[in-house]
Amino acid sequence: MKQESRRETVVVLDFGSQYSQLIARRVREVRVYCELIPWDAPAERVRALTPRGFILSGGPASVYEPGAPALPDYVLEGHVPVLGICYGMQLLAHNLGGHVAPAAEREYGPAEVTVTGVSSPLFSSLPSSFSVWMSHGDRVDRLPPGWQVLATSPNSPVAAMGDVARGRYGLQFHPEVAHTPGGREIIRRFLYDVCGCRGDWTPGSFIEESVAAIRDRVGDGRVLCALSGGVDSAVTATLVHRAVGDRLTCVFVDTGLLRRGEPEQVVQTFQQAQGMRLVTVNAAEEFLDALAGVTDPEEKRRRIGERFVRVFEREAARLATSPPSPHPPSPSPIGRGGRGRRGKGVRFRFLAQGTLYPDVIESARRDEHGAARTIKTHHNVGGLPQQMRFELLEPLRMLFKDEVRAVGEALGLPEEIVWRHPFPGPGLAVRIIGEVTWERLETLRAADAIFLEELRAAGLYGQTAQAFAVLLPVRSVGVMGDGRTYAHVVALRAVTSEDFMTADWARLPYELLARVSNRIVNEVAGVNRVVYDISSKPPATIEWE
């Protein structure tokens, strides 16, 4: 979505740090809009945003090495405040007449910094000493003219520096990580006290701008949206529907690989409650046929993605050649096999999808900082063929996941949609280890539903980042009613995570796990054993396949 000049913006320049996205998230968390842009992006792209300030990320290079990422000229033009973090601080020193050299002792991990007493808005609300997270092998050993040392650490005589009069600051430590407890306050002080930001980046302001931008772009055209029921596609569809009304048609493909009740929930939420045009396609038989005999997880993903493309392509072509319908289609029956009754459609110019900001950032890196993108593989739609000549409509392309949820709440979407745990694109197929059959799907659906139901009843669903059941490809001996059984094993998985890059297993109460195990063994036919996964990520992954 095109950036509007009236919105206050801070630019985060990415020099290759693993924490760059985290910096942008921290800025957004205090209601200031920012964009994460590669350090070598065209200057015109950055100037067009009229930045209120710059934050320079860390990075793995050394500023004195040939070919190291350089500081763009526009950063020091005018009187725009600048905050350099780690490599970003060293760049400021290097470019403004200071000196950077290898440190005698590298500094990685926790450290204690001490404020020198020089007046600075960054540390005005923090104690004289506080804990931070360091990650550097170089250090500033001579300040640029006009700069002062603001903080020191045992291994960094310049842990923070500043040219307070010009609003330029450097931090050797990382304020964006959770291991720097006062880091968010430092970033907030820079944005509000130094850059003069008001904090006008709110879900309400985003909705207002997005609806206006969609109306302006779509005009009297029509939009097609692949709806999965996940939060990204749900918020996308709701925003577009608010902008263009019944000129949006959503297509929901029931693959047969969804959790219990999800197809019905999608119809209830978007067709009946939201009043959207919703076409439902029951393709369970097609997907099961495609998965017959397949046990390799990557082959499962490939076949599911291919089948989704074909189903969506077929439905898009049918809708494009059907005469318009003045009313939304009626709900279609959902079950195994067959195709539900669907309403008539119209010709479409736009394809809406729930691309998020991390996708955009990664695409920019892969595409040499801004080369044109074609339709790419996307978790909501499983990948769309390039020969489908839609114009992409991506209203969430500048949002992180937590911001999408906040917008979903502001739009009035149900809590079960907005706060639904992440669900893999291939669905339950990758939570069934081994071959996928209808019988195994029904077994897993029942066990998974019990786990989530009990988790919600205990008030713990919102305290876990992701929770689910897995059907294992083994059987175990058990005893039921004085008789021997030889039945399936179900594994339960629940994790806590902030960004899903790392995750820890959730310490669920023993009483809850016992209740879930008892219910699954007694209520799900063919299961006689339940185990709980206590692996973290890394070394394990969150999903099993």
Side-chain angles (χ1 to χ4, degrees), residues 215-233:
R215 285 175 180 161
D216 181 63
R217 183 174 175 204
V218 173
D220 60 357
R222 296 186 177 270
V223 185
L224 192 67
C225 178
L227 187 64
S228 69
V231 63
D232 302 338
S233 68

Side-chain angles (χ1 to χ4, degrees), residues 70-94:
L71 186 68
D73 292 339
Y74 56 74
V75 172
L76 300 178
E77 292 174 353
H79 303 284
V80 178
V82 183
L83 174 63
I85 297 173
C86 198
Y87 183 84
M89 166 175 148
Q90 295 163 14
L91 267 181
L92 289 173
H94 183 71

Side-chain angles (χ1 to χ4, degrees), residues 114-136:
T114 301
V115 178
T116 61
V118 176
S119 179
S120 162
L122 296 191
F123 306 137
S124 61
S125 61
L126 296 179
S128 58
S129 293
F130 53 91
S131 298
V132 301
W133 186 261
M134 293 282 193
S135 180
H136 65 99

